[in-house]
Amino acid sequence: MYKFENIKLLYTHVLDSVDKDYVLMQIGKRNVSLDSWVEQRMINIAEQTNASIVYSHYREKNNDGTIENHPCIAYQSGSLRDDFDFGDVVLINTDILIGECIDLLDKEWLDGGWYAMRLRLSLYGPIQLLPEFLYTVEKIDYRKSGQKQHDYVDPRNRQYQIEMEQTLTNHLKLINAIAPVEKNEVDIKNEEFDIEASVIIPVRNRVNTIKDAVISALSQHTDFDYNVIVVDNASTDGTSELLASIDDKRLHVVKLNGNEGMDIGGCWNLAVLDSRCGRFAVQLDSDDVYSSDETLQKIVDKFREEKCAMVIGSYMMTDFEMNPIPPGKIDHAEWTDDNGANNALRINGLGAPRAFYTPLFRQILLPNTSYGEDYAMGIRLSRDYKIGRIYDVLYYCRRWEGNSDAALSIDKVNANNFYKDFLRTCELEARIQINDNLIYE
């Protein structure tokens, strides 16, 4: 098995083995123990499917010697994340590698060229998941999912992120999926609203945190009228009673009985479609708080200044007492007006807090899910409209054991990643269709 270091050395290895149609390659740095006949099994699948890459499920060996299965997810055209989990072992079609990737040898890649190479290979043959557990690796990362999920925005990885962005941009150009640079402005005074802004808080069983969130929202100092709409999704832990005890006419609680089938996206839709919703709908999760009493004003000012469809702020990762914790400030500084909409298809999130121009939100609506629902809206709007960015910390994102994404199972992480890849696939296809139509007009 060849151990991948960089694409130049891989090319040399393949050219020295001209009789090989495929190369079995280790792309991870962990110790690997292959099952019998792994290579032949992968070659069989590659030949049957004309695959450019074959990868498989694998197992992880813990420090105590126990073994856990680690399934992977199927690759989609929208699987554009540079951290897509192929495991540690892949099979590469050498004819496609030699014929289509030679121009990638001209650059020194921070990841050895793996991201650029697999994007290129995906254009000339399917990337095929073999859903069998074919090898075992030594587990070395024992962090919980909530600790891993922000690795991609760690400022220590900034140069890597810049390279990955440019790599994806080049790929999108090749497949005619680049988002338009020119964006539509929003006529934010086109419709009449009784309220200028609404803070939207979906909640279910957050008795320990919901009051902090609501008081944070109600404490905003603004030059406009606003309200707070809480959608209580059938809480049973005292959250409903606590909300009822808050005496403020600006607070509106939409109480669900649990039979409506609402996830977070559905709760958002109910709130924004409510006649009491303001011109701008501004996010606040039931675990979190705004960083100051000026947050809402800053967000609305950004809408007014840039006539954008969506505004995204920056946030600080904190513990329950709001003490900063690694990686600290999350500002998505990689966003630019000219390329942010393209890079959005690579990264796992766009930032927080998120705010939307209500009339446009009502035209699209969020998917009724509890993961990726806001990302779906963000990439959709970024195709046609300007996204306003605020790089000051507007929001404290509190991490605690009760967070819904603090310690997810591998099956749940996979389901979340597969869903976001699906969203990217849909957006990718939409952009290609638009660009293709422009060519023929």
Side-chain angles (χ1 to χ4, degrees):
M1 180 171 61
Y2 174 78
K3 290 189 177 181
F4 179 77
E5 295 181 48
N6 62 65
I7 191 172
K8 292 181 180 179
L9 292 177
L10 173 61
Y11 244 77
T12 301
H13 172 80
V14 169
L15 292 174
D16 288 343
S17 306
V18 292
D19 60 330
K20 296 285 189 179
D21 294 327
Y22 301 94
V23 58
L24 188 68
M25 187 170 73
Q26 180 180 345
I27 57 175
K29 297 181 179 180
R30 301 183 288 186
N31 293 328
V32 177
S33 175
L34 297 176
D35 294 3
S36 300
W37 312 296
V38 169
E39 185 170 17
Q40 188 58 52
R41 182 68 181 128
M42 286 188 166
I43 289 174
N44 289 344
I45 297 302
E47 291 176 340
Q48 292 170 18
T49 62
N50 292 316
S52 60
I53 300 175
V54 175
Y55 64 108
S56 75
H57 297 334
Y58 59 97
R59 311 176 202 91
E60 289 186 307
K61 185 176 182 180
N62 296 308
N63 288 335
D64 62 4
T66 58
I67 302 292
E68 297 178 356
N69 284 340
H70 189 114
C72 295
I73 61 174
Y75 194 92
Q76 307 173 59
S77 61
S79 297
L80 300 172
R81 294 173 290 115
D82 55 89
D83 63 351
F84 185 90
D85 182 15
F86 290 94
D88 290 58
V89 177
V90 297
L91 186 83
I92 301 292
N93 183 306
T94 57
D95 283 344
I96 300 176
L97 175 71
I98 293 171
E100 307 300 341
C101 298
I102 191 168
D103 60 299
L104 303 179
L105 303 181
D106 297 333
K107 181 177 178 179
E108 294 295 332
W109 301 91
L110 293 177
D111 70 338
W114 166 246
Y115 184 49
M117 182 175 71
R118 63 97 159 172
L119 289 177
R120 182 68 59 80
L121 291 172
S122 72
L123 303 181
Y124 298 96
I127 295 181
Q128 182 64 53
L129 169 64
L130 173 51
E132 301 167 12
F133 297 90
L134 297 184
Y135 59 94
T136 302
V137 297
E138 176 186 22
K139 186 172 183 177
I140 58 177
D141 190 348
Y142 288 87
R143 294 177 300 161
K144 296 179 180 179
S145 61
Q147 296 171 301
K148 298 177 184 179
Q149 71 181 54
H150 292 100
D151 286 352
Y152 72 104
V153 287
D154 190 322
R156 292 173 296 182
N157 299 329
R158 185 73 188 104
Q159 287 305 118
Y160 174 86
Q161 294 298 326
I162 291 172
E163 180 177 289
M164 296 303 104
E165 175 179 357
Q166 188 56 57
T167 301
L168 175 63
T169 303
N170 291 338
H171 175 73
L172 296 178
K173 289 177 180 177
L174 281 175
I175 63 175
N176 201 28
I178 289 287
V181 174
E182 295 297 324
K183 303 297 183 182
N184 299 320
E185 287 191 348
V186 172
D187 182 0
I188 61 175
K189 295 297 185 181
N190 188 45
E191 296 187 26
E192 293 297 323
F193 285 86
D194 295 331
I195 295 292
E196 189 70 355
S198 292
V199 177
I200 310 297
I201 310 177
V203 64
R204 177 177 171 82
N205 292 340
R206 284 291 183 264
V207 69
N208 293 326
T209 61
I210 186 59
K211 186 174 183 179
D212 291 342
V214 171
I215 295 305
S216 171
L218 292 172
S219 300
Q220 296 297 297
H221 293 167
T222 65
D223 63 9
F224 52 82
D225 292 333
Y226 74 93
N227 61 21
V228 178
I229 302 177
V230 177
V231 182
D232 181 4
N233 196 2
S235 295
T236 58
D237 67 341
T239 292
S240 304
E241 292 76 10
L242 192 154
L243 288 169
S245 71
I246 300 175
D247 184 18
D248 193 307
K249 64 181 182 179
R250 297 171 298 167
L251 174 62
H252 306 289
V253 179
V254 178
K255 185 74 170 68
L256 306 183
N257 61 28
N259 296 321
E260 298 88 353
M262 292 296 161
D263 287 327
I264 291 176
C267 291
W268 256 90
N269 291 340
L270 287 175
V272 178
L273 291 171
D274 192 297
S275 62
R276 295 168 293 187
C277 185
R279 187 183 313 276
F280 307 110
V282 185
Q283 171 243 350
L284 180 58
D285 287 348
S286 58
D287 298 306
D288 305 326
V289 297
Y290 292 139
S291 61
S292 78
D293 58 12
E294 298 178 349
T295 290
L296 194 56
Q297 183 70 56
K298 289 181 179 180
I299 290 172
V300 171
D301 285 347
K302 179 62 70 170
F303 274 113
R304 292 169 171 173
E305 174 188 350
E306 299 192 5
K307 297 180 176 59
C308 41
M310 181 178 179
V311 170
I312 306 174
S314 302
Y315 59 97
M316 180 72 71
M317 300 296 300
T318 76
D319 59 21
F320 192 76
E321 285 75 32
M322 289 179 285
N323 300 305
I325 60 174
K329 180 181 178 181
I330 308 294
D331 60 6
H332 288 278
E334 77 280 352
W335 182 277
T336 59
D337 286 341
D338 61 339
N339 205 44
N342 297 310
N343 197 39
L345 297 179
R346 181 184 67 87
I347 60 178
N348 248 344
L350 300 183
R354 300 165 290 273
F356 309 94
Y357 177 54
T358 295
L360 274 179
F361 184 106
R362 287 173 174 172
Q363 291 178 25
I364 301 172
L365 297 180
L366 296 184
N368 185 30
T369 63
S370 289
Y371 180 82
E373 71 288 341
D374 51 340
Y375 180 75
M377 179 70 79
I379 59 175
R380 171 62 189 89
L381 291 174
S382 73
R383 185 201 313 166
D384 298 319
Y385 298 95
K386 181 177 176 59
I387 306 296
R389 303 302 302 233
I390 300 175
Y391 295 104
D392 299 329
V393 172
L394 302 183
Y395 190 88
Y396 292 143
C397 183
R398 297 196 287 182
R399 314 306 296 172
W400 58 294
E401 289 303 316
N403 276 131
S404 57
D405 58 355
L408 301 181
S409 68
I410 182 58
D411 288 336
K412 184 61 177 175
V413 170
N414 279 347
N416 287 347
N417 284 332
F418 186 85
Y419 182 64
K420 276 196 174 177
D421 284 355
F422 164 77
L423 296 175
R424 295 184 187 98
T425 297
C426 295
E427 181 61 25
L428 191 74
E429 293 303 319
R431 294 182 186 188
I432 291 173
Q433 289 182 40
I434 290 170
N435 291 338
D436 285 349
N437 289 337
L438 290 174
I439 291 175
Y440 294 112
E441 286 182 357

